[in-house]
Each structure stands twice: as C-alpha cells, then as structure tokens.
Amino acid sequence: MNHVSHSSAASAASPDSRITHVAKGASPISIRPPGRNVLTFLGYSGAGYQSEAAMLANAAEVLDKHDPARTTVNIGATADGIGAVYRLARSRGFPTMGVVSSQAVESKAAWSPHVERIYVIEDSTWGGKIDGKLSPTSAAMVAVSDEIVAIGGGEIARDELMAAQAEGKRCRYIPAESNHEIARQKARKAGKPVPENFGSVLGANAWESP
C-alpha cells in the first residue's frame, strides 16, 4: 500500500510536480528527507507581519546557525507571511519543503515559488488541536521537524510549538506582531470590534527550549 503519491494537482486546476499527497493515516516520517535535519519555521500566514523586514532579520539570524549541506527548511508551503522565509532560505542554498493541509488545495492557495517539495496532508482542518489532539497536518509538521522556530504566530503555531516542546524537540519563540491593518480589515468585515492587541498568542517574551 502506498503511503504517499505524487500528484499533478497543485491546486484544483493547475499542475505542479512539487506536490505529494500523503495518504490518510500514513506515517509522516515517510516524508522526511533522509540524512538531513529539518528546521521548521512557524508564524503568521494570511495575517501577515507588521514588520516583514524584522521577521526576515530574525529568520536570517536563525539560518546563520545552520549548514545548508545538512539542513532542510520546512514551512507551510504557501507564500504568505512566514512563507517569505522560503526565498531567504533558497538564496542561502537551503533545500526547502512544505507541510500543508489539504484545505489549502481546496481553497486554491498560492504556493511559494521557492518551496521545492510540498506534502499535502489529508485534513478536514487547517491544523491545530481537535479535542485536545493535534490535527493530521499539525501532527505531521511536528513529526518531521528536528527543530522548530516560531516567529509570532496564532493558535495553530502555538499548538505545534507546544507539542514539539513536550516531545523534547529544540524549540524557539521570537515575538512578532501580526499586520495591524490586515487585522483591522478582517475585524470590520466580520462586524467585530477593531483589535487593539496585535501580539502573538504565544506571548511577548522570547524563549528557547531545551
């Protein structure tokens, strides 16, 4: 029985040979690049960053401590928000991969042009916890990672980082605010009060573990 299958469907309409669909229930370990460490970046996606330049500077500082010959950079496959790190990673010679929910395919998400391999996880959610348990996408994200760095981020990033920390994986959190105007527009569109706090649910203080 095949656990992963190559597909020509990057979205509902356009072909993309970078995509591999991971069968429901398959072990996410099967998508790890052999013989390499996987460095995963988490953060805001569609919410964006108030200062993308600051986010990229933080990411660059993290990448400075890793060897492209031994490390693959993993994010969530799309170009938004933290996905901007893909371009930075490729410019430094890092191989790249992405782990993403099948919801992204259904919504015709725009993949980063700088991600080399995309692994689509069959999932009825975008990620995070469901009834106290990580969704298939978030479970795969944690499983394939040797080290996880979150630069800001919402609930899904929080759930994945906390799960990785509980497993004793190397974790780091760097505070960052989401894009203020995007947050305001989203609140207005939903008929909700305009937010005053744009910080991450992970808090205002940086930390590393272990």
Side-chain angles (χ1 to χ4, degrees), residues 41-56:
F41 285 91
L42 306 175
Y44 304 115
S45 183
Y49 284 84
Q50 180 63 11
S51 174
E52 184 176 284
M55 179 274 286
L56 289 172

Side-chain angles (χ1 to χ4, degrees), residues 4-207:
V4 296
S5 61
H6 294 286
S7 170
S8 62
S11 67
S14 58
D16 193 323
S17 61
R18 296 175 295 173
I19 289 187
T20 297
H21 284 268
V22 180
K24 188 175 182 179
S27 170
I29 298 302
S30 63
I31 66 176
R32 275 184 56 90
R36 301 185 66 84
N37 288 330
V38 176
L39 168 63
T40 293
F41 285 91
L42 306 175
Y44 304 115
S45 183
Y49 284 84
Q50 180 63 11
S51 174
E52 184 176 284
M55 179 274 286
L56 289 172
N58 284 319
E61 185 267 330
V62 172
L63 292 173
D64 283 343
K65 299 177 181 178
H66 294 79
D67 181 0
R70 301 170 60 184
T71 304
T72 295
V73 170
N74 174 51
I75 318 177
T78 62
D80 295 333
I82 193 69
V85 175
Y86 276 130
R87 181 176 183 176
L88 178 65
R90 290 297 298 134
S91 73
R92 293 174 173 228
F94 287 91
T96 57
M97 62 179 281
V99 174
V100 66
S101 168
S102 55
Q103 296 298 310
V105 175
E106 294 180 19
S107 66
K108 300 182 181 180
W111 309 127
S112 168
H114 306 287
V115 57
E116 297 175 295
R117 296 298 310 167
I118 300 169
Y119 296 96
V120 176
I121 311 299
E122 188 64 33
D123 199 335
S124 61
T125 75
W126 284 93
K129 282 190 173 182
I130 307 170
D131 297 326
K133 183 179 180 180
L134 285 179
S135 73
T137 303
S138 289
M141 186 72 85
V142 173
V144 302
S145 304
D146 295 293
E147 178 180 353
I148 295 184
V149 177
I151 305 177
E155 287 81 3
I156 293 175
R158 175 199 61 200
D159 292 347
E160 292 171 354
L161 189 65
M162 294 299 97
Q165 184 185 37
E167 292 185 15
K169 297 193 175 189
R170 187 175 181 187
C171 297
R172 181 178 178 185
Y173 169 62
I174 302 169
E177 291 189 347
S178 63
N179 184 280
H180 297 186
E181 188 54 33
I182 291 176
R184 291 187 183 108
Q185 289 179 4
K186 184 177 180 180
R188 293 188 191 105
K189 187 175 181 179
K192 297 180 179 180
V194 175
E196 297 181 1
N197 180 13
F198 304 94
S200 170
V201 295
L202 279 157
N205 299 317
W207 55 266

